[in-house]
Amino acid sequence: MTRSPTDSVETPRLVLAPILAEDVADLVVLHGEPSVAFWTGPWSRVTIEAWARDMAGRWAKDGVGKWMARNREDGALVGRGGFSLFDLDGEAVLELGWAVRYALAGRGYATEIGLAAFAWAAEHRPGMTIVAFTEVHNHRSQAVMRRLQMRPVGEIRREGLVEGQPGIHSDARFALYRL
């Protein structure tokens, strides 16, 4: 039986389901945590509602997007993760990202989400380039990328944080990794 790209994905500990408008309450919790909202500040409910609608639209239009990550045992919120279509110097790539609740950080959930995303891509987007990026000083995210067997391939510049400088900068340096 062929699986749809929008079917839920199960891992040993998680159920990953495409983000929909119904996920706003969990996203408010997630994006209210300082570890997740460290450079944007907590997202407002209006911002989250718009983001969730956009993500649901991406799943419907492109067949790819981010998932809500919930515990398989009790359905508790773990985080979110998965892919976004991203233009990298004119090449359409799958950009892998994740956010895990602070209380659950360091337990391998980001790696588990990433491995599930790789398996999903092999089935639904075979041969498509997969990248991940983070500010150059975000060593924890880079460690996850290395655990996922991704390799550093350079830097890109975009809006983000610059270590030791307050606020968001339009030309921040991001470490770029590729599978």
Side-chain angles (χ1 to χ4, degrees):
M1 180 171 92
T2 304
R3 292 178 34 84
S4 166
T6 58
D7 287 346
S8 294
V9 173
E10 291 190 7
T11 72
R13 300 181 293 169
L14 300 171
V15 174
L16 305 168
I19 291 176
L20 302 171
E22 298 83 51
D23 295 312
V24 168
D26 279 343
L27 289 166
V28 167
V29 170
L30 182 64
H31 286 279
E33 292 192 2
S35 63
V36 174
F38 65 95
W39 69 273
T40 61
W43 288 10
S44 70
R45 185 173 186 89
V46 170
T47 298
I48 290 171
E49 288 170 350
W51 187 84
R53 279 192 307 275
D54 177 64
M55 194 54 57
R58 288 177 190 215
W59 276 109
K61 177 180 168 256
D62 301 328
V64 63
K66 298 280 196 282
W67 296 303
M68 291 301 297
R70 294 190 174 87
N71 183 293
R72 276 183 69 168
E73 298 292 319
D74 62 10
L77 173 66
V78 172
R80 65 164 175 78
F83 292 122
S84 296
L85 287 178
F86 184 74
D87 182 307
L88 181 64
D89 298 328
E91 178 187 10
V93 300
L94 293 172
E95 180 265 325
L96 176 63
W98 56 83
V100 174
R101 298 198 66 192
Y102 179 76
L104 301 173
R107 298 182 188 183
Y109 285 113
T111 302
E112 194 168 330
I113 291 167
L115 291 172
F118 293 165
W120 180 95
E123 181 178 357
H124 299 289
R125 298 292 173 112
M128 195 163 186
T129 298
I130 297 173
V131 302
F133 53 84
T134 189
E135 282 99 344
V136 294
H137 60 275
N138 187 339
H139 301 294
R140 290 183 78 180
S141 283
Q142 289 182 59
V144 172
M145 294 171 200
R146 288 189 301 274
R147 278 193 295 279
L148 290 168
Q149 303 301 306
M150 299 183 84
R151 298 288 175 241
V153 294
E155 291 183 0
I156 60 173
R157 292 188 175 264
R158 56 181 289 143
E159 186 176 75
L161 296 176
V162 175
E163 188 172 27
Q165 297 181 20
I168 298 173
H169 301 266
S170 62
D171 196 32
R173 293 172 44 228
F174 283 72
L176 176 65
Y177 283 68
R178 188 180 293 252
L179 183 66

